[in-house]
Amino acid sequence: MAFDWFRVDSSFVDHPKAMRLEVELSDPNAIAYVVRLWSWLSRFAQSGRFAPILAAHVEIACKWRGEKGALVAALCAAGLLDIDTESGDCAAQDW
């Protein structure tokens, strides 16, 4: 069952991971991608994990218009997503 809502802590906008994502993407509004990611996860991947083949779906859901794969890579670099070295699955940190 999908979540009807999720909570975003008011301090998230200044969190080091959010700031790192802004730097990685050179986009001061990068946290919008995170909120869209969490929204997608809450509906389609409630465990917080998704297969690498769905990374393109995530980028579409996040309204990413940059280079293919760059958003997921930046989310990983910022510590917002992890890649499972065994399965290759992506997982939202602290989901």
Side-chain angles (χ1 to χ4, degrees):
M1 183 168 128
F3 305 134
D4 291 333
W5 62 274
F6 56 90
R7 184 175 154 179
V8 178
D9 193 293
S10 62
S11 66
F12 179 67
V13 295
D14 297 318
H15 192 282
K17 290 180 182 181
M19 293 176 146
R20 172 83 187 268
L21 185 63
E22 288 180 19
V23 170
E24 290 289 327
L25 297 174
S26 299
D27 184 347
N29 297 309
I31 60 169
Y33 298 124
V34 180
V35 173
R36 287 182 175 277
L37 167 67
W38 291 342
S39 176
W40 185 87
L41 289 171
S42 74
R43 289 174 289 139
F44 303 111
Q46 289 92 21
S47 68
R49 300 178 71 84
F50 58 93
I53 195 160
L54 296 179
H57 296 207
V58 167
E59 290 187 340
I60 291 167
C62 291
K63 306 295 186 205
W64 176 246
R65 295 187 176 159
E67 181 182 338
K68 182 179 176 183
L71 177 60
V72 170
L75 289 163
C76 289
L80 292 159
L81 284 180
D82 290 322
I83 304 290
D84 184 314
T85 55
E86 290 183 23
S87 69
D89 286 355
C90 298
Q93 271 207 351
D94 301 323
W95 184 255

